[in-house]
């Protein structure tokens, strides 16, 4: 799983680095960003399939999988630009856009990447959290995983949208 974690954090760093202000950023803004990144997020995860390993992070060893959420200090519009311009550097994008479910609009990216010789399906959701930040979800699962495991990722992703209506 180490390589999957590395891959996931490299994807999220795209958002975190873009969201940062220049070096002159005040300490209070840095503290605010750190607080956002460590905020517990309500998400519906099947913990019989995915074991919690850290705040907002769940893994499955067999099949290899990861579910992770965090709040990033980036506006919805800025996140949209980042997803449109930078995400293809990290994953092969098969579908991307904006959806509305139950009146809630969110960004999504579906695609795949490779880690430890395995092809992993990747799902990213971005929901507006407030004016200055977004809730990010990422799920990755071995493409050979059962439908049950793939559905667990999909259910966790949509729970983000349902739980954080704006």
């Amino acid at each position: 799983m180490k390589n999957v974690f590395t891959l996931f954090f490299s994807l999220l760093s795209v958002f975190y680095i873009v969201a940062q202000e220049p070096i002159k950023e005040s300490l209070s803004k840095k503290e605010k960003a750190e607080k956002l990144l460590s905020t517990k997020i309500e998400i519906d995860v099947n913990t019989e399939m995915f074991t919690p390993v850290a705040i907002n992070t769940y893994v499955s060893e067999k099949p290899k999988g990861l579910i992770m959420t965090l709040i990033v200090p980036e506006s919805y519009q800025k996140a949209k630009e980042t997803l449109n311009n930078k995400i293809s550097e990290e994953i092969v994008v098969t579908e991307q856009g904006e959806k509305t479910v139950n009146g809630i609009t969110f960004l999504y990216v579906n695609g795949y990447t490779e880690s430890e010789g395995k092809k992993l399906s990747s799902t990213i959701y971005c929901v507006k959290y407030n004016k200055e930040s977004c809730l990010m979800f990422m799920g990755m699962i071995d493409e050979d995983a059962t439908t049950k495991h793939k559905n667990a990722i999909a259910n966790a992703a949509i729970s983000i949208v349902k739980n954080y209506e704006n």
Side-chain angles (χ1 to χ4, degrees), residues 46 48-50 145-153 155:
N46 183 330
E48 291 179 10
M49 288 189 241
F50 291 87
T146 66
T147 300
K148 188 175 178 182
H149 278 84
K150 290 176 183 178
N151 286 344
I153 296 273
N155 291 338

Side-chain angles (χ1 to χ4, degrees), residues 23-158:
I23 303 271
K24 295 179 183 176
E25 176 181 22
S26 71
L27 182 59
S28 63
K29 285 186 180 183
K30 286 182 182 178
E31 289 173 343
K32 183 178 176 182
E34 288 173 7
K35 183 177 180 182
L36 286 174
L37 292 170
S38 65
T39 299
K40 176 71 175 142
I41 297 167
E42 185 179 337
I43 182 171
D44 301 333
V45 175
N46 183 330
T47 54
E48 291 179 10
M49 288 189 241
F50 291 87
T51 305
V53 294
I55 188 168
N56 306 318
T57 306
Y58 306 82
V59 298
S60 168
E61 287 296 328
K62 289 190 179 187
K64 295 243 182 253
L66 173 74
I67 294 173
M68 188 170 185
T69 59
L70 72 150
I71 301 171
V72 293
E74 184 171 73
S75 72
Y76 183 80
Q77 186 59 39
K78 186 67 176 170
K80 187 176 185 176
E81 292 169 17
T82 302
L83 279 173
N84 287 336
N85 298 323
K86 304 252 184 216
I87 204 67
S88 62
E89 296 171 10
E90 303 294 335
I91 67 173
V92 176
V93 176
T94 57
E95 185 181 12
Q96 180 174 5
E98 213 167 22
K99 288 183 184 179
T100 301
V101 174
N102 296 331
I104 301 152
T105 302
F106 59 96
L107 303 169
Y108 73 95
V109 176
N110 291 321
Y112 64 90
T113 190
E114 291 198 24
S115 177
E116 300 175 355
K118 295 269 188 180
K119 193 171 184 181
L120 301 170
S121 295
S122 301
T123 301
I124 300 170
Y125 277 20
C126 176
V127 180
K128 180 180 176 184
Y129 185 70
N130 61 32
K131 184 173 101 174
E132 300 170 346
S133 55
C134 290
L135 182 62
M136 298 296 297
F137 166 90
M138 183 156 186
M140 300 173 85
I141 192 78
D142 187 329
E143 280 203 331
D144 296 331
T146 66
T147 300
K148 188 175 178 182
H149 278 84
K150 290 176 183 178
N151 286 344
I153 296 273
N155 291 338
I158 203 66

